[in-house]
Amino acid sequence: MSRPLYQVKAEFFKALAHPARIRILELLSMREHAVSEMLPQVGIEAAHLSQQLSVLRRMNLVVTRKQGSTVIYSLVSPHVAELLAVARRILTEVLATQVDLLDGLRAAEDTPTR
């Protein structure tokens, strides 16, 4: 019996629900990277980076290829980069709304009450 699509989607988003994995995907959205290139930019230990890359591989979000003894990672699809861009736009809109609300609250503080 197959799983419902909403459950598969939840598992997909759960795979994204880690700051290191998001950072890895952001880096790979720009271009492919070797692990050694990602380490300083992700800012975690090599073993932890390997774990996070493993999660992304299991979810089929990244693929690897060998170049000599170096393993090169890339996104499995450009749609992953698009998803990150859409998430950024959503967050920008949400935060802009919150800034407007904060500005309104501050303006109300400046207005004397009767």
Side-chain angles (χ1 to χ4, degrees):
M1 182 173 193
S2 65
R3 295 175 294 166
L5 182 57
Y6 63 85
Q7 185 177 3
V8 175
K9 285 181 182 178
E11 290 169 8
F12 172 80
F13 282 107
K14 190 172 160 184
L16 298 177
H18 192 284
R21 291 193 287 264
I22 294 294
R23 183 64 183 132
I24 291 165
L25 293 173
E26 288 174 343
L27 292 171
L28 296 177
S29 291
M30 293 182 259
R31 65 174 178 82
E32 61 184 15
H33 283 75
V35 174
S36 60
E37 294 176 303
M38 286 188 270
L39 266 172
Q41 296 185 60
V42 177
I44 58 177
E45 295 179 18
H48 194 202
L49 178 59
S50 179
Q51 273 183 329
Q52 302 310 322
L53 286 165
S54 178
V55 170
L56 294 172
R57 275 194 318 268
R58 277 195 309 274
M59 290 303 296
N60 296 311
L61 292 170
V62 298
V63 291
T64 61
R65 68 177 176 82
K66 290 276 266 183
Q67 187 173 352
S69 62
T70 304
V71 179
I72 307 292
Y73 283 84
S74 60
L75 295 179
V76 73
S77 166
H79 295 301
V80 176
E82 290 174 30
L83 176 65
L84 293 172
V86 169
R88 182 182 194 101
R89 286 194 300 273
I90 291 168
L91 289 171
T92 299
E93 289 172 9
V94 167
L95 291 173
T97 302
Q98 291 176 355
V99 167
D100 290 344
L101 177 62
L102 181 59
D103 289 343
L105 290 171
R106 286 183 177 148
E109 286 176 358
D110 296 338
T111 306
T113 57
R114 293 181 189 199

